[in-house]
């Protein structure tokens, strides 16, 4: 089945070979089941975004992904698998197929489309469009050649490709993306699931934050919210959220701090186990840094080539981000300033929380619901 392509200047346009485009701007396809689930709020976008959200029909996605073949599978996230695809015009895409088993699937689908349609930043993954047909709920993204940060960071061979310069660039890119979400976009977005697997890398290893299924919009003066339905990933979840359902921009700051510790050490927080002590990556980092032994925490693949003082400063900033009291954690604008200027004196952090709940299990891509 062919596609009509609509644009602001040409209402209907066929390709010279007679085929029709594979994409339909979403505003022109709100009919049937799609119109029942998505509303006109998805049309809002920032002024610097010249693109338009498109609707893809299922036959196009099936052709592009070879019927969701295992050979095209890029990985599996909390809400389902992701596949590589190629449209007939040669454009490569990544297709997120939301699990049919998830009771929360439709809400996460709707949430991600509505939120990311309003956001545009070089350090946020670009959502090209979606498909809602039958039982299928599909999100179509720009394809990221180097998949996700965790694929490199926690692989004993690929981690060697992440020298200190690349790690610094990735840290700064993630920080700028979060700053945009928290302070610089016309919305105030709390991501709520920042982790290594949700940071995608393009062909030049530039980072882009992805997966906005659990993100929330805050009002202009709103500083925190409460929920009885806690969703997230073990190891990255802030204590006040896991225990009391409280979340704020400081929740993302905490997750960012954990991510910094992983980037500095090359170790995964979820499931980390020290052979001599029962401690998490967070408590391990604090003990070494507090004892003046931060050098032992640094990833062995970069320790001989990196500027030690810079890595220790990164660990220091990470520990400030994971303070137990949210008020003691810096804002993202302050984090970006601390990362960019060595002239900023860093305050002394206190011991971070060591909550057993956050240390349980190796569930780096697993979600739980209370």
């Amino acid at each position: 089945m062919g596609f009509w392509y609509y644009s602001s200047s040409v209402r209907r346009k066929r390709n010279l070979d007679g085929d029709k485009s594979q994409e339909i701007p979403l505003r022109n396809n709100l009919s049937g089941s799609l119109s029942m689930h998505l509303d006109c709020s998805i049309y809002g976008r920032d002024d610097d975004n010249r693109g338009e959200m498109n609707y893809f029909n299922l036959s196009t996605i099936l052709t592009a992904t070879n019927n969701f073949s295992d050979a095209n599978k890029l990985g599996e996230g909390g809400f389902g698998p992701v596949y590589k695809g190629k449209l007939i015009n040669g454009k490569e895409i990544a297709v997120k197929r939301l699990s049919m088993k998830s009771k929360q699937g439709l809400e996460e689908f709707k949430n991600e489309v509505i939120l990311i349609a309003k956001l545009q930043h070089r350090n946020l993954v670009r959502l090209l469009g979606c498909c809602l047909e039958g039982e299928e709920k599909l999100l179509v993204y720009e394809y990221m050649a180097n998949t996700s940060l965790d694929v490199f960071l926690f692989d004993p061979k690929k981690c060697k490709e992440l020298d200190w310069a690349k790690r610094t660039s990735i840290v700064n890119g993630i920080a700028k993306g979060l700053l945009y979400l928290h302070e610089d976009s016309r919305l105030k977005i709390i991501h709520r699931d920042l982790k290594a697997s949700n940071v995608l890398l393009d062909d030049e290893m530039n980072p882009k934050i992805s997966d906005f299924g659990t993100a929330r919009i805050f009002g202009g003066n709103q500083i925190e919210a409460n929920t009885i339905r806690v969703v997230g990933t073990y190891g990255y979840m802030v204590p006040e959220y896991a225990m009391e359902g409280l979340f704020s921009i400081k929740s993302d700051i905490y997750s960012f701090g954990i991510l910094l510790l992983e980037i500095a050490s090359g170790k995964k927080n979820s499931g980390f186990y020290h052979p001599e002590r029962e401690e998490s990556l967070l408590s391990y980092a604090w003990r070494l840094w507090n004892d003046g032994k931060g050098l032992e925490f640094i990833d062995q693949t970069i320790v001989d080539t990196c500027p030690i003082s810079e890595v220790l400063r990164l660990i220091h900033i990470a520990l400030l981000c994971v303070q137990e009291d949210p008020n003691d954690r810096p804002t993202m604008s302050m984090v970006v300033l601390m990362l960019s200027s060595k002239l900023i004196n860093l305050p002394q952090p206190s011991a971070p929380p060591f909550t057993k709940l956050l240390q349980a299990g190796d569930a780096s891509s697993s979600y739980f619901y209370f």
Side-chain angles (χ1 to χ4, degrees):
M1 182 170 121
F3 275 87
W4 285 107
Y5 174 77
Y6 295 81
S7 70
S8 57
S9 58
V10 181
R11 287 298 175 188
R12 295 184 178 179
K13 180 180 179 182
R14 293 176 181 266
N15 295 330
L16 294 178
D17 61 4
D19 290 334
K20 301 173 185 177
S21 171
Q22 294 181 291
E23 306 169 8
I24 307 174
L26 199 53
R27 68 176 71 240
N28 297 311
N29 197 62
L30 287 181
S31 60
S33 62
L34 187 64
S35 64
M36 294 171 60
H37 301 299
L38 301 175
D39 57 46
C40 62
S41 63
I42 61 176
Y43 304 141
R45 307 193 73 144
D46 283 354
D47 293 338
D48 60 341
N49 182 10
R50 297 183 180 87
E52 185 167 10
M53 287 286 294
N54 296 297
Y55 179 81
F56 296 79
N57 72 21
L58 182 58
S59 63
T60 295
I61 303 299
L62 291 174
T63 299
T65 62
N66 193 20
N67 292 314
F68 300 117
S69 70
D70 288 341
N72 283 29
K73 190 172 181 178
L74 296 173
E76 185 100 20
F79 296 115
V82 180
Y83 297 86
K84 181 180 179 181
K86 181 180 284 189
L87 302 176
I88 58 173
N89 63 6
K91 185 176 184 177
E92 292 183 317
I93 57 174
V95 181
K96 180 178 175 181
R97 188 184 192 188
L98 276 73
S99 173
M100 298 180 189
K101 298 178 182 178
S102 173
K103 296 179 181 178
Q104 293 80 21
L106 182 58
E107 285 306 308
E108 270 71 29
F109 177 92
K110 179 179 178 181
N111 195 56
E112 187 145 5
V113 173
I114 290 173
L115 279 182
I116 207 167
K118 298 178 180 180
L119 303 172
Q120 183 74 7
H121 188 273
R122 69 177 62 187
N123 295 117
L124 302 183
V125 69
R126 184 184 171 205
L127 181 64
L128 303 177
C130 65
C131 172
L132 182 60
E133 194 169 319
E135 295 296 319
E136 295 286 357
K137 295 178 282 290
L138 307 168
L139 295 169
V140 181
Y141 295 93
E142 60 177 326
Y143 174 67
M144 304 293 281
N146 284 309
T147 60
S148 55
L149 176 58
D150 63 319
V151 171
F152 283 83
L153 193 57
F154 306 130
D155 184 275
K157 293 182 179 179
K158 288 189 175 183
C159 68
K160 296 176 182 178
E161 298 180 40
L162 295 179
D163 59 19
W164 179 243
K166 285 189 177 69
R167 295 185 197 217
T168 299
S169 175
I170 289 170
V171 165
N172 289 331
I174 299 169
K176 290 174 183 176
L178 271 184
L179 176 62
Y180 172 80
L181 292 176
H182 289 181
E183 302 179 32
D184 291 343
S185 73
R186 57 191 177 87
L187 303 170
K188 184 189 292 185
I189 304 294
I190 314 301
H191 188 278
R192 294 207 301 168
D193 197 28
L194 182 68
K195 56 184 177 180
S197 60
N198 282 341
V199 175
L200 304 185
L201 302 171
D202 67 13
D203 54 358
E204 296 180 350
M205 300 297 280
N206 296 309
K208 299 195 178 188
I209 299 171
S210 70
D211 203 334
F212 289 80
T214 61
R216 291 290 183 87
I217 299 176
F218 267 27
N221 298 319
Q222 188 177 8
I223 59 173
E224 70 175 19
N226 181 272
T227 180
I228 59 172
R229 177 174 168 262
V230 176
V231 298
T233 306
Y234 286 121
Y236 295 88
M237 190 179 298
V238 70
E240 68 268 14
Y241 181 48
M243 299 299 189
E244 303 173 50
L246 292 172
F247 62 93
S248 67
I249 59 173
K250 297 299 183 74
S251 306
D252 284 350
I253 302 294
Y254 181 94
S255 300
F256 180 71
I258 296 294
L259 190 51
L260 292 188
L261 293 177
E262 291 183 327
I263 291 172
S265 68
K267 296 178 175 64
K268 185 186 297 186
N269 183 49
S270 298
F272 174 83
Y273 176 74
H274 192 276
E276 299 177 3
R277 304 166 184 259
E278 289 187 8
E279 57 185 358
S280 66
L281 183 66
L282 180 52
S283 58
Y284 179 59
W286 167 255
R287 178 173 60 81
L288 292 179
W289 185 86
N290 197 44
D291 291 345
K293 300 178 181 179
L295 184 64
E296 296 179 26
F297 186 75
I298 300 174
D299 190 339
Q300 292 301 300
T301 62
I302 63 170
V303 70
D304 293 330
T305 57
C306 68
I308 299 300
S309 61
E310 290 185 21
V311 188
L312 293 179
R313 183 177 175 84
L314 186 73
I315 296 170
H316 191 160
I317 294 171
L319 291 172
L320 291 172
C321 291
V322 296
Q323 293 294 278
E324 184 165 13
D325 186 341
N327 295 318
D328 291 337
R329 300 171 205 152
T331 61
M332 210 59 229
S333 56
M334 180 54 69
V335 170
V336 170
L337 187 59
M338 291 189 294
L339 288 170
S340 62
S341 175
K342 299 176 184 177
L343 300 177
I344 301 295
N345 291 323
L346 304 181
Q348 287 295 109
S350 56
F354 306 132
T355 307
K356 290 294 183 182
L357 174 63
L358 302 181
Q359 300 173 19
D362 183 5
S364 58
S365 62
S366 299
Y367 292 75
F368 62 90
Y369 300 84
F370 289 176

